[in-house]
């Protein structure tokens, strides 16, 4: 009953699931590719900002930014990347390849409610954080800015009200996050064929995140790990989570979560199954650039975010 072959599904054929790596209530399954590594045709947001070839500016509208790429390669913006500075911090709302020498508007969410600075340019430190998977899930479900703020407000509750933005939530949990990073930091070295991760929190598969090349995965790994660890810390505080997850933290559950893409219909980068949103894919005509799948979308999982 699987759908016809697509760029997404053909990219998944032949991938292997590595052994689980666990710490605290976070489990990571590396996803391995034995195929010959292709050259990446894009560069990343942090590298472009650090080299001075990318400008990210305000437009005067809260839900879009203007990006100018003066580098030699298109710049990959990943949904969930946090932009700091500007009038207030933003989170990239969808995957995007920023072309060269062409001012481009990109959709964003506010992740710093209450702030209104006079800065017009976003900081070089942008892209050093991803939103946790729960916040990224809210964005994918189309709940809008209100749902994103409600999710962030719940996170801030668990900091004792001290944080004022997504970046500050990270800083409030910095000690706990450090222990997760210490445990998992050598995963890319131990699995040099890894192109992505299946992320499990507690007994549940949380998300699948894959990249076109091993090089891209390594470039994003530390930020993905931070995002997964923060999600695990937040999920540990959810008292209403179902005891019987739809996709359990097991090899079977992980395999089934990857197989979701084979039964999905894609339009404008969004993946749906039976009229339920399950993920997002950025593709070029002949290859998958980035894939994000969620197992809890549209399920009866408790809505801990609002």
């Amino acid at each position: 009953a699987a759908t016809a072959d697509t760029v997404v599904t053909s990219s998944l054929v032949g991938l292997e699931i590595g052994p689980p790596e666990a710490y605290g209530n976070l489990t990571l399954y590396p996803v391995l590719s034995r195929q010959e590594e292709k050259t990446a045709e894009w560069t990343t947001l942090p590298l472009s900002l650090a080299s001075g070839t990318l400008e990210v500016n305000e437009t005067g509208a809260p839900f879009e930014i203007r990006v100018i790429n003066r580098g030699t390669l298109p710049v990959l913006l990943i949904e969930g990347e946090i932009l700091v500075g500007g009038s207030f911090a933003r989170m990239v709302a969808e995957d995007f390849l920023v072309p060269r020498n062409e001012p481009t508007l990109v959709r964003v969410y506010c992740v710093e409610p209450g702030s209104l600075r006079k800065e017009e340019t976003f900081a070089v430190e942008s892209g050093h954080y991803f939103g946790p998977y729960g916040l990224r899930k809210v964005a994918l479900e189309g709940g809008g800015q209100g749902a994103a703020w409600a999710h962030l407000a719940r996170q801030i509750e668990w900091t004792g009200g001290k944080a004022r933005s997504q970046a500050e939530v990270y800083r409030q949990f910095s000690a706990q996050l450090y222990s997760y990073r210490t445990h998992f930091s050598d995963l890319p070295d131990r699995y040099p064929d890894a192109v992505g991760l299946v992320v499990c929190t507690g007994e549940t598969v949380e998300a699948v995140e894959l990249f076109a090349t091993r090089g891209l995965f390594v470039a994003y790994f530390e930020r993905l790990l931070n995002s997964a660890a923060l999600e695990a810390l937040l999920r540990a505080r959810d008292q209403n989570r179902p005891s019987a997850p739809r996709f359990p933290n097991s090899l079977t559950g992980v395999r089934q979560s990857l197989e979701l893409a084979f039964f999905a219909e894609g339009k404008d980068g969004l993946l749906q199954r039976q009229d339920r949103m399950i993920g997002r894919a950025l593709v070029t005509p002949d290859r998958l650039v980035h894939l994000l799948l969620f197992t809890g979308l549209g399920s009866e999982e408790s809505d801990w975010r609002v």
Side-chain angles (χ1 to χ4, degrees):
T3 57
D5 287 344
T6 65
V7 173
V8 174
T9 56
S10 63
S11 299
L12 298 179
V13 173
L15 295 180
E16 301 175 13
I17 302 169
E21 301 281 333
Y23 178 80
N25 66 325
L26 176 64
T27 305
L28 303 179
Y29 291 78
V31 180
L32 314 175
S33 173
R34 306 301 185 186
Q35 298 180 3
E36 183 178 351
E37 177 83 336
K38 295 181 180 179
T39 302
E41 302 166 357
W42 328 276
T43 187
T44 66
L45 171 66
L47 287 176
S48 301
L49 287 171
S51 68
T53 59
L54 191 76
E55 292 182 16
V56 185
N57 299 313
E58 292 282 0
T59 66
F63 304 126
E64 67 179 17
I65 55 170
R66 179 180 291 107
V67 184
I68 303 175
N69 173 20
R70 296 190 174 89
T72 59
L73 292 172
V75 176
L76 175 59
L77 298 184
I78 297 291
E79 169 275 325
E81 287 186 290
I82 302 297
L83 308 170
V84 296
S87 297
F88 38 84
R90 311 295 216 288
M91 183 179 79
V92 176
E94 59 189 341
D95 293 348
F96 204 90
L97 286 172
V98 182
R100 298 176 55 213
N101 299 318
E102 183 179 329
T104 303
L105 298 180
V106 177
R107 288 199 313 115
V108 292
Y109 291 99
C110 169
V111 289
E112 192 178 11
S115 174
L116 189 58
R117 291 181 292 269
K118 296 182 179 181
E119 299 175 23
E120 294 294 325
T121 301
F122 289 86
V124 174
E125 294 78 15
S126 294
H128 287 187
Y129 295 107
F130 274 84
Y133 282 106
L135 180 58
R136 298 171 72 184
K137 188 183 295 187
V138 166
L140 182 61
E141 288 179 311
Q145 183 62 70
W149 274 339
H151 183 282
L152 183 56
R154 188 67 181 272
Q155 295 183 50
I156 290 172
E157 284 182 21
W158 287 322
T159 69
K162 298 177 182 178
R164 291 293 180 268
S165 68
Q166 184 63 75
E168 289 185 10
V169 171
Y170 268 104
R171 286 192 282 272
Q172 290 293 321
F173 283 98
S174 60
Q176 299 98 311
L177 292 172
Y178 178 78
S179 63
Y180 281 88
R181 289 199 306 273
T182 300
H183 182 84
F184 288 109
S185 62
D186 64 343
L187 187 147
D189 295 329
R190 289 186 288 111
Y191 299 99
D193 291 332
V195 293
L197 296 170
V198 179
V199 176
C200 300
T201 56
E203 298 302 317
T204 303
V205 175
E206 192 75 44
V208 175
E209 191 145 15
L210 302 177
F211 293 87
T213 67
R214 292 183 282 276
L216 275 178
F217 170 66
V218 171
Y220 284 103
F221 174 73
E222 184 174 347
R223 282 164 282 162
L224 295 178
L225 174 56
N226 261 337
S227 173
L230 181 57
E231 185 67 25
L233 291 168
L234 296 172
R235 283 290 188 178
R237 291 158 173 77
D238 178 17
Q239 301 300 315
N240 298 315
R241 194 166 193 189
S243 57
R246 183 180 174 197
F247 291 84
N249 178 356
S250 66
L251 185 59
T252 297
V254 168
R255 185 179 68 248
Q256 290 174 340
S257 66
L258 283 163
E259 289 172 350
L260 281 173
F262 288 90
F263 298 90
E265 297 178 354
K267 183 179 180 181
D268 298 328
L270 298 174
L271 300 177
Q272 292 181 301
R273 182 185 181 190
Q274 299 175 346
D275 297 326
R276 292 176 174 177
M277 206 72 69
I278 64 167
R280 185 185 297 277
L282 177 63
V283 299
T284 63
D286 62 345
R287 67 191 299 193
L288 174 70
V289 181
H290 175 240
L291 174 68
L292 178 64
L293 294 174
F294 287 112
T295 60
L297 291 175
S299 72
E300 295 181 356
E301 180 178 326
S302 64
D303 188 356
W304 67 284
R305 296 157 299 195
V306 295

